[in-house]
Amino acid sequence: MKSLTRFAVAVLLMASPWVHSAELAGLGTVTFPTSASGPAQDHFLRGVTIMHSFGWKEARAEFQAAQRLDPDFAMAYWGEALCYNHPLIGEWDVETPRAVLNRLGDTPEARLAKAPTHREKGFVRAVEALFLGDGDTLTRRRAYMEAMRDHYEAYPEDEEVSAFYALSLLMSAGRGDDAMRSNVLAGAVAMQLLDQNPNHPGAAHYTIHAFDDPVHAPLALPAARVFARIAEKVSHARHMPSHIFIQRGMWDEVSASNQSAYEAAVDAYEPGDRLGDMVHSLDWGQYGDLQRGDYERAAHWIELMEGIAERAGDNPMAATMLAGVKARYVIEREAWQPQPITDQTEATELLAIGLGAAHAGDFDLAEQVANRLAQKAEEAAAQGGARLYYSLAEKPLKVMNREVAGQLEIARGNVEAGLALLSEGVDIAESMRPPNGAPNPLKPPHELYGEALLTAGRPEQALALFERSLKRMPNRPLSLRGLARAHVALGNAAEARKAYAQLESGWQGRDVAWRQEAAGYVAGAEPSE
């Protein structure tokens, strides 16, 4: 009887004149039949298509337009409710989605009565579990995923059920091995949908999120290229391909993707909007340009961030991100600029100052920085949980403390103690989720430990660290440089030449200290037998 009912609903939907498919320039193609028709359905389709690219503000406006045209259109309220929170980070606002659903009806029965089909009722039940259910954010997200799983099992061929089921798996994934399993399942569902509809923005988008780690990223490279092509209207969509490009060390693509995302964010910005899309693209774009060696362009990103911070006033995100791009500019160029610290000095600035102080032999300043980082780690642990961007969580702060403290001990002549601290930093980093963007902390601990081992005359150990660093963050110039130097020290001429050649081939900027070293070795080294 149940299968017969589903068959009857499917036939009704296929026969209905309002089974619409939206192919929108710069947004992709979505097929989402509902019980609505005409302009209300058109606005709804546009809203769903934009929502798949996480264009919350623009999608919300479309759903609200659909509601004005058809006040009882349940799916328009479903869509708007989903537009107030980023599904893959902490919950911002649970009250507004609840208010949206209560506008549709003040009881579950009243809301479901306005969803005429079994399929639409399934979507409404799921979003009720997400915003009107019991428990904390993760508990409600898991209840939402379970409701979407049931819906997917009922409608396995439905494109939008598949898309939102994949996203529900990502948003309820939690941490550790369970998260990896959930992400891989989400990626499998999304990839199947992308095969079914090669122009579907959600299929490409969620494939990227599912495989955003060093091991699985190659699986998502085709989806990243698809998303870059089909979803050009939304800043987040322009940025997302760089999640995979960065995992593959494709620095030109990282730079271009985030330049495009920044431009889209500027075009869409209105006073009062969140700054996330704008500063996030600046942050990642600068990282990409530093890996290309384009220091002039990397400095330009800082100027743009300074302008945002000035206009934003006391917005903490803008100030924090500005500190981050300035610190990265110092660390990646190894252009150390130690300076006094204050209680307001951001964690990223502390790292750059502390490493520079140890390098310059300013032991007192380096010790102050190490202690301040330890204090910040304790404060983060007391707060419980990660904070967005570079107001960092406990573990990254602990890694930074070990990096500065380790370099300080080495500078003081206590090499074994310093190396032990750097090794602790690597162990802590290994207990964190795999890298999924620019390094966090800004100086990768495997790379720093490898550099210290190389200086200490232990090239074989250093080689293993650089190899590990490059598996986690492919094609990083400073890790490639360390790899090449370790091979030189071990007499592996052919491998050294290969690493130096890779380093040279991706470098588009001005001369730096190691370029002459690399060019000379590539030109003159003979392969070992």
Side-chain angles (χ1 to χ4, degrees):
M1 182 68 181
K2 185 177 179 182
S3 60
L4 195 62
T5 302
R6 288 202 302 268
F7 175 76
V9 170
V11 171
L12 176 63
L13 290 172
M14 287 187 291
S16 298
W18 49 82
V19 179
H20 287 184
S21 174
E23 184 168 1
L24 302 168
L27 292 171
T29 304
V30 165
T31 301
F32 201 149
T34 74
S35 54
S37 60
Q41 171 71 357
D42 293 340
H43 281 292
F44 172 78
L45 278 171
R46 185 173 178 85
V48 171
T49 309
I50 296 170
M51 186 164 64
H52 280 310
S53 293
F54 292 178
W56 314 118
K57 180 179 71 172
E58 299 89 343
R60 187 162 58 238
E62 296 293 338
F63 292 127
Q64 290 169 345
Q67 293 166 30
R68 288 192 293 271
L69 290 165
D70 187 347
D72 291 332
F73 184 8
M75 293 303 293
Y77 296 87
W78 163 88
E80 185 189 350
L82 289 171
C83 287
Y84 291 94
N85 289 280
H86 192 304
L88 304 182
I89 59 176
E91 196 168 44
W92 295 331
D93 177 0
V94 68
E95 295 305 325
T96 305
R98 289 172 177 171
V100 171
L101 294 172
N102 283 322
R103 288 205 320 268
L104 175 63
D106 56 7
T107 66
E109 294 76 16
R111 289 186 287 272
L112 288 173
K114 294 180 180 178
T117 69
H118 180 270
R119 177 172 167 277
E120 290 177 50
K121 289 182 193 297
F123 281 113
V124 173
R125 286 192 186 96
V127 82
E128 285 189 343
L130 180 60
F131 293 121
L132 298 173
D134 296 327
D136 60 14
T137 301
L138 184 57
T139 299
R140 287 183 282 106
R141 286 179 172 180
R142 285 178 171 161
Y144 172 71
M145 180 274 292
E146 290 166 2
M148 286 307 305
R149 180 183 60 205
D150 292 343
H151 211 34
Y152 177 71
E153 289 173 354
Y155 298 96
E157 302 301 321
D158 187 293
E159 290 188 6
E160 293 311 298
V161 174
S162 297
F164 285 100
Y165 174 50
L167 181 56
S168 77
L169 286 163
L170 295 172
M171 62 194 282
S172 63
R175 298 182 180 180
D177 290 342
D178 287 342
M180 185 66 74
R181 291 191 195 95
S182 189
N183 286 346
V184 169
L185 177 55
V189 173
M191 289 176 74
Q192 183 176 356
L193 174 55
L194 192 61
D195 185 60
Q196 182 179 340
N197 178 357
N199 211 38
H200 194 289
H205 189 181
Y206 308 145
T207 298
I208 293 169
H209 277 296
F211 297 132
D212 187 8
D213 68 79
V215 174
H216 297 96
L219 295 171
L221 186 56
R225 296 196 185 282
V226 167
F227 204 37
R229 172 178 57 80
I230 67 174
E232 64 190 36
K233 297 290 187 183
V234 180
S235 176
H236 181 82
R238 295 194 198 184
H239 159 78
M240 271 309 301
S242 68
H243 276 248
I244 302 304
F245 298 152
I246 211 169
Q247 294 280 9
R248 306 303 299 148
M250 300 164 64
W251 306 124
D252 290 350
E253 289 84 351
V254 171
S255 175
S257 179
N258 285 286
Q259 175 66 44
S260 176
Y262 172 73
E263 290 169 357
V266 170
D267 289 344
Y269 181 77
E270 295 176 357
D273 285 354
R274 294 182 182 273
L275 298 172
D277 286 338
M278 200 178 299
V279 299
H280 193 49
S281 53
L282 283 176
D283 174 30
W284 282 44
Q286 188 218 28
Y287 177 69
D289 281 318
L290 283 167
Q291 306 318 297
R292 298 165 71 225
D294 192 342
Y295 292 162
E296 183 177 350
R297 187 172 171 80
H300 180 60
W301 291 112
I302 295 175
E303 294 172 2
L304 292 174
M305 194 77 84
E306 285 174 335
I308 293 171
E310 184 177 348
R311 292 192 301 274
D314 60 356
N315 184 294
M317 178 192 288
T320 299
M321 295 299 290
L322 175 59
V325 294
K326 285 183 173 180
R328 180 189 291 128
Y329 191 69
V330 170
I331 290 169
E332 293 290 347
R333 296 181 307 127
E334 299 175 319
W336 308 115
Q337 299 172 342
Q339 55 190 294
I341 63 171
T342 70
D343 290 342
Q344 284 70 49
T345 305
E346 295 277 356
T348 47
E349 295 175 294
L350 288 170
L351 179 61
I353 291 168
L355 294 177
H359 183 80
D362 190 337
F363 300 160
D364 289 343
L365 178 57
E367 188 168 3
Q368 289 177 42
V369 169
N371 291 338
R372 183 73 184 105
L373 286 167
Q375 181 184 346
K376 280 183 172 287
E378 291 175 1
E379 292 168 354
Q383 289 173 358
R387 293 171 61 193
L388 191 59
Y389 297 111
Y390 292 116
S391 295
L392 290 166
E394 177 189 3
K395 284 187 176 181
L397 286 163
K398 283 184 173 180
V399 175
M400 288 191 283
N401 163 261
R402 280 15 174 228
E403 289 183 324
V404 173
Q407 290 295 88
L408 171 60
E409 288 303 316
I410 291 170
R412 282 173 166 164
N414 303 322
V415 175
E416 294 304 320
L419 292 175
L421 286 165
L422 294 179
S423 179
E424 284 183 23
V426 167
D427 290 341
I428 296 167
E430 294 277 4
S431 74
M432 295 161 56
R433 68 155 291 166
N436 67 327
N440 179 18
L442 295 180
K443 180 63 175 177
H446 298 73
E447 184 177 272
L448 183 63
Y449 187 26
E451 290 166 350
L453 286 167
L454 200 55
T455 301
R458 302 179 188 179
E460 189 168 354
Q461 290 176 268
L463 181 65
L465 267 295
F466 291 124
E467 288 174 340
R468 180 61 182 148
S469 185
L470 287 163
K471 285 179 180 177
R472 292 166 62 86
M473 287 166 288
N475 210 26
R476 259 188 66 85
L478 293 180
S479 288
L480 282 171
R481 181 191 67 180
L483 183 75
R485 287 175 174 174
H487 278 304
V488 170
L490 291 167
N492 303 332
E495 292 300 321
R497 203 155 116 183
K498 180 180 175 182
Y500 275 130
Q502 184 179 347
L503 180 58
E504 275 281 272
S505 67
W507 194 260
Q508 301 179 25
R510 63 180 185 178
D511 282 344
V512 288
W514 51 260
R515 283 205 78 181
Q516 195 169 14
E517 162 194 338
Y521 201 89
V522 170
E526 291 297 327
S528 59
E529 295 297 323

